[in-house]
């Protein structure tokens, strides 16, 4: 699985959740690309991806003003689990 494929999968995942509701307000499909880049780097890395990891990335990009992590912790956990599955899948495909 190439880095571009990983990034595309991460973008689809984040856009499905639309954590800040920006896409629902008409923002372009690439609205979350800065966050997607950081999350893609996690998927391409070696460390396990947890809800705390995802929350850390998210809060950094939204200057701690995002309420997604506090308001929807179950979604953050779902995103983290999906990213971790993608990370493991990518590692297996590289072997």
């Amino acid at each position: 699985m190439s880095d571009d494929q990983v990034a595309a999968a991460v973008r689809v995942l984040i856009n499905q959740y639309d954590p800040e509701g920006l896409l629902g307000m008409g923002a372009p499909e690439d609205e979350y690309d800065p966050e997607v880049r950081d999350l893609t780097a996690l998927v391409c890395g070696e460390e396990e991806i947890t809800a705390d990891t995802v929350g850390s990335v998210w809060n950094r990009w939204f200057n701690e003003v995002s309420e997604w992590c506090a308001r929807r912790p179950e979604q953050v956990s779902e995103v983290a689990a999906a990213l971790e599955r993608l990370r493991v899948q990518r590692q297996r495909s590289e072997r």
Side-chain angles (χ1 to χ4, degrees):
M1 178 174 263
S2 73
D3 289 355
D4 288 342
Q5 290 171 315
V6 171
V10 173
R11 180 194 255 189
V12 167
L13 176 68
I14 294 302
N15 285 355
Q16 284 175 342
Y17 279 90
D18 189 14
E20 301 300 321
L22 301 174
L23 300 177
M25 292 188 291
E29 184 179 313
D30 65 353
E31 181 67 29
Y32 296 114
D33 276 6
E35 297 82 4
V36 166
R37 277 190 290 277
D38 283 359
L39 295 171
T40 298
L42 294 176
V43 172
C44 294
E46 298 295 321
E47 299 294 319
E48 179 182 4
I49 300 170
T50 66
D52 287 341
T53 309
V54 171
S56 177
V57 167
W58 207 261
N59 287 326
R60 185 176 67 246
W61 276 103
F62 284 90
N63 297 318
E64 306 296 328
V65 297
S66 173
E67 294 183 14
W68 179 55
C69 298
R71 214 178 51 241
R72 305 289 230 160
E74 71 286 349
Q75 284 187 357
V76 178
S77 293
E78 290 170 9
V79 167
L83 293 172
E84 177 61 14
R85 285 191 299 274
L86 191 57
R87 187 185 71 80
V88 170
Q89 177 185 359
R90 184 176 187 278
Q91 283 184 336
R92 287 182 183 151
S93 72
E94 289 182 341
R95 293 181 188 161

